[in-house]
Amino acid sequence: KNTKGHISSVTWGEWHPTQKNAFLTAGADGTIRQWDTTKKNCEAVAVIKPLKAGMRAPVVNQFKFMEEKGLVV
């Protein structure tokens, strides 16, 4: 099922270091979501799922931007 946001509690959030209209959130649902404040209702524009379907997702408690490599870890 697709949702407009996390399906459980948000555990971390951080503004993008270079894109002023973007921020990321992490959740107990095991996903990291990128949000765009310029979109209607501040839509999630990307969802990062760390595990294969059917496996229990770990809670994501924190992440860090690695802008020079284009990564979120």
Side-chain angles (χ1 to χ4, degrees):
K1 178 180 174 182
N2 293 330
T3 64
K4 293 183 179 182
H6 292 282
I7 58 172
S8 62
S9 61
V10 173
T11 58
W12 185 263
E14 190 171 313
W15 286 98
H16 193 284
T18 60
Q19 297 176 22
K20 67 179 183 174
N21 296 320
F23 65 97
L24 274 76
T25 56
D29 60 3
T31 65
I32 297 173
R33 294 173 187 259
Q34 181 176 344
W35 303 88
D36 184 342
T37 62
T38 64
K39 300 283 186 185
K40 183 180 179 181
N41 297 322
C42 189
E43 295 176 6
V45 294
V47 178
I48 302 166
K49 297 179 182 178
L51 293 177
K52 295 179 181 179
M55 295 179 71
R56 183 171 177 204
V59 173
V60 180
N61 291 312
Q62 192 172 16
F63 55 82
K64 184 68 181 158
F65 287 101
M66 295 181 66
E67 186 67 23
E68 66 277 2
K69 298 185 184 219
L71 299 172
V72 176
V73 293

